[in-house]
Amino acid sequence: MFISGMMAKEPVTIHPDAQISEARELMQVNHIRHLPVVDGSGALVGILTDRDMRDAMPSILLDKESYEMTLAKVLTHTVREIMTKNPQTIPVYYTIEDTLMVLQKKKVGALPVVDEDGGLLGILSTRDLLASFIDVIGLGEPGTLLCILADDRQGQMKKIIDIITEEKISFGSVLVARHWDKDKRAIFPYLLTNNVMNVKKKLLEKGYELIDPMKLYLSQISQKK
Amino acid sequence: MKRTGFLFDERYLLHLPFEGHPESPARLQSIHSRLAVSGVLDKLILINAEIANQRWIEAVHKIQYILRFEEACIMGFPDFDHQDNSICRDTYEIALLAVGGILRVIDEVMNGSLDNAFCAVRPPGHHAEVDTAMGFCYFNNIAIAAKYLQKKWGVGRIGIIDFDVHHGNGTQHTFEGDPTVFYYSIHEHPSFAYPGTGREFETGKGEGVGFTLNSPVLPGRGDDEYKAMILKHLVPAFDSFKPEFILLSAGFDAHESDLMSGVNLTTQGYDFLTDEILKLVDRHTGGRLVSILEGGYNLDVLPILVENHIRRLADI
C-alpha cells in the first residue's frame, strides 16, 4: 500500500525568513507538530519541529518577568535559525512498509513527502501511520478475533480460509505469527461477525487447535526475559 | 420468596434466523422446558407479550430505521444491515413483542404487582444502534426500557448492568451523554471479542462523563477476574450513583462451555454476578430489578444458568 493516500496533502508551510512568532501561531492554530520550511522557489529547505521550538523557548523556571522578556526576544528571531536543516524526506512512491522502516531507523516523528525534483507534496506523521494501521487491522469495524494453531505446511491457510468462507463470513484482516512454535504457525483472522460459533466448531472438527491468547501473551513475556 | 415475573410468549419462537444460526428459537424452548420440569415456573408470575407502541421504539431508534427494518421483513430479505442479522417475515413483529413485553413488565414492577422479573425474550437488543442493526439485535430492548422508565414513570436515576460477554455498544452509545443513566458493562476484551468497543477509557461523553464504566476481561481469566472487577468497579460506582431502578442485560455467553467467547466464567461465577447485583438492588432500588435476556448459546448450559439466575431473583 502506498503512502500517497494517507499523507496530509498541501501541508501548512512557512518561509525560512519568517519570525518564530508566526511559526508558533501556525502550529497552535493547526494543531501540528511539524512545519515544513519552504523557500520562495518552493524547495524544501528544512523542517521546524515542536522539539526545535521547545529548544528555542525560554525556560518555564524563569520568573514571570524574565520569561516574558526572553520570550519576546526569541519570537522575533527567524525560523531559519532554529529549524532542522536537511530533513529526512521520502519520495511519494514509497509504501507504508518503506515508511515504517525509515521512521524506525531515523527516529523522526514526521516525514515530508517530495516529488522527483524535491518539491514538497505532503507530510506524513506517525499519527497518520497509526490511523492507517487501525484501518489495516480492521479495528474500526465490529468483529471477532480467532486464534488458530496450524502446522507450518503449505495449504493450511487455504483450508482455514475455506472453512471461514463456507460460513459466508468476511475478513477484516489476517495476521500470522511465524515462529510461534516449532513447525507451527499461529494464525489470527479478524472476522467481521459476531457469529463465530459454527466456524469454531468446524475448525475444531477439522483438527485445528484454537489457542488461548493468554498463552501467547505469557510466551511473549518469557521470550523477552 | 419474591413476586418474580417471567416474561415469555410462544410468539418469541417465530423469529427464525437461518438454519444453524446460534440465536435460535431453541434457546427459549430450552429455558422454558427446564423451568417447567424443575417446577420453578410454577412459582413465577407469567407475563405475556404485547406489541410495543412505536413511539417507545422512537425514544431510541430513528423512525427511518424502524421503517427500513419493517420493510426488510415484509420484503422477505434474508438479513438486515449485516449477514449476522438473519431475519424472516415475522421478525419485525416479534421484535415489537419483545419490547412491548418488557414495557408491560416494567409497569408491573413500578405499580408494585411484581418485585422483580426475568424477561425471556428474543431477539436480543444490546448491540442495536440508533440506526443500525448489529450482532443479532434489531431494537435495543434495554435502552428502550430505560427511556420508558424515565419518560413514562419519571424515574430519576437508572442503573444498567450488562454482563453479556459482548460489550453493549448500542446501549452505551444511547446513554453515553446522559448523567441520569449509568451504564456498566463487563465483557471479553474488545481486541478479541465482538463488537470491538467497551475499552476501559470509554467513560461517557459531555455531561455523561463518569456515567459509563467498562471492565474488559482478557480471554481465559475466568471467575477471579470477574469477581475482582465487580467488587472494584461496579459496586463502588453504583453505591455512589445510587440508582433508583436497575436494568440488567443478562447474557449467558461468558460461560466456559459457550463457544461464542473465551473468558471462561463458570456456573458459580454467574451465581456470584447475580448475588452481587441483588445486593446492589437491595441497597438502592428497593428490590426493583428487571433482567432481560441477551446472549447465551450453549443449549445445554443456558437453561441451567437462567434457572440459577431466576432462583436467586425469586429467592427460592
Side-chain angles (χ1 to χ4, degrees), chain B residues 52-89:
Chain B
N53 186 314
Q54 188 176 306
R55 79 187 175 101
W56 295 115
I57 311 284
E58 286 172 34
V60 168
H61 297 284
K62 286 191 179 156
I63 188 158
Q64 293 89 338
Y65 170 77
I66 301 170
L67 296 175
R68 209 159 53 74
F69 176 36
E70 182 179 22
E71 188 177 271
C73 295
I74 291 171
M75 299 288 284
F77 291 160
D79 48 48
F80 181 53
D81 280 349
H82 188 284
Q83 70 210 17
D84 279 355
N85 313 315
S86 181
I87 55 173
C88 65
R89 285 190 196 273

Side-chain angles (χ1 to χ4, degrees), chain A residues 43-57:
Chain A
L44 181 75
V45 296
I47 188 164
L48 188 66
T49 70
D50 59 346
R51 171 85 167 263
D52 299 329
M53 286 295 265
R54 269 182 291 163
D55 285 349
M57 289 296 136

Side-chain angles (χ1 to χ4, degrees), chain A residues 139 141-145 147 167-170 190 192-198 200-201 204 210 212-214 217, chain B residues 18 20-22 82-84 127 134-136 166 191-196 199 218-219 221 258-261 297:
Chain A
L139 265 183
E141 282 184 81
T144 311
L145 187 75
C147 309
E167 291 295 312
K168 297 184 181 134
I169 292 171
S170 308
Y190 184 71
L192 302 181
T193 183
N194 185 19
N195 188 2
V196 288
M197 205 163 85
N198 294 338
K200 278 189 181 175
K201 268 188 204 158
L204 291 170
L210 297 175
D212 177 354
M214 292 316 286
Y217 161 75
Chain B
F18 63 76
H21 194 290
H82 188 284
Q83 70 210 17
D84 279 355
H127 292 308
M134 277 175 68
F136 322 157
H166 306 103
S191 290
F192 302 91
Y194 189 87
R199 290 185 160 79
L218 287 165
R221 285 290 172 95
D258 200 308
L259 267 182
M260 289 290 266
S261 69
Y297 305 95

Side-chain angles (χ1 to χ4, degrees), chain A residues 17-31:
Chain A
D17 295 330
Q19 287 192 343
I20 292 175
S21 59
E22 193 187 329
R24 188 161 91 139
E25 199 183 327
L26 277 178
M27 289 170 100
Q28 277 171 356
V29 169
N30 295 294
H31 305 286

Side-chain angles (χ1 to χ4, degrees), chain A residues 102-122:
Chain A
V102 173
L103 280 172
Q104 196 200 20
K105 208 169 165 185
K106 302 288 178 183
K107 300 188 171 66
V108 292
L111 293 162
V113 182
V114 293
D115 62 21
E116 286 170 18
D117 305 320
L120 183 71
L121 290 176

